[in-house]
Amino acid sequence: MATDPENTGIRRLIKATGYSWLGLAAAFRHETAFRQEVAATVMLLPLALWLGQSGLEKAVLISVWMLVPFFELMNSAIEAVVDRIGPEQHELSGRAKDIGSAVVLVALLNAAVVWLLVLAF
C-alpha cells in the first residue's frame, strides 16, 4: 500500500492527534470504567502533587496512576475488536477479553502498592 505523499510531517501529526482525540471521546462516551478512571484521575493528580515530598515522588505517583487509564484504553480497544468479529461465544474471544481486563487489574494493584509505599515511607 502506497503512502499518501501529502500525509507527512505536520499534516500527519495533526491527523494523528485528531484520531487520538476521537478515541478518547469514544472511550469516554462508551466505557463506564474509563469515565470512572477519569474521575479518579481528577482527584488523584492534585493529591499526588500535594502528597509527594519530592519531584520524583510526585512523578512516580502520577505516572503509576496514569498507567490505569492507559491500560483501560487498551482493554477497551481489545473488547471492541473482539465484539466486531462477531457476537458468538468463543474461547479465544473470552480469553482475550479476560486478559485485557487482567491487565487493568494489575495496573490498579500496581498503583495501589506504589502509592502505599511512597506515602508510608
Side-chain angles (χ1 to χ4, degrees), residues 3-15:
T3 303
D4 181 0
E6 303 219 359
N7 192 25
T8 60
I10 192 74
R11 177 174 285 184
R12 189 194 70 69
L13 181 61
I14 291 169
K15 283 184 174 183

Side-chain angles (χ1 to χ4, degrees), residues 31-121:
E31 301 294 332
T32 302
F34 184 70
R35 287 192 301 274
Q36 292 168 341
E37 290 158 1
V38 168
T41 300
V42 168
M43 292 182 291
L44 289 175
L45 293 189
L47 192 60
L49 293 172
W50 183 58
L51 294 175
Q53 296 297 309
S54 67
L56 181 59
E57 282 187 2
K58 292 173 186 182
V60 168
L61 292 173
I62 291 170
S63 63
V64 74
W65 172 256
M66 292 307 295
L67 290 174
V68 174
F70 169 81
F71 285 122
E72 185 64 52
L73 289 167
M74 296 302 296
N75 182 44
S76 296
I78 291 167
E79 288 180 353
V81 169
V82 168
D83 290 346
R84 170 62 177 94
I85 291 170
E88 66 279 350
Q89 296 286 328
H90 191 281
E91 178 187 347
L92 292 176
S93 296
R95 187 183 313 161
K97 286 183 166 191
D98 291 346
I99 292 170
S101 180
V103 170
V104 177
L105 176 62
V106 170
L108 282 164
L109 293 172
N110 180 57
V113 167
V114 170
W115 272 67
L116 285 171
L117 290 172
V118 168
L119 299 177
F121 296 100

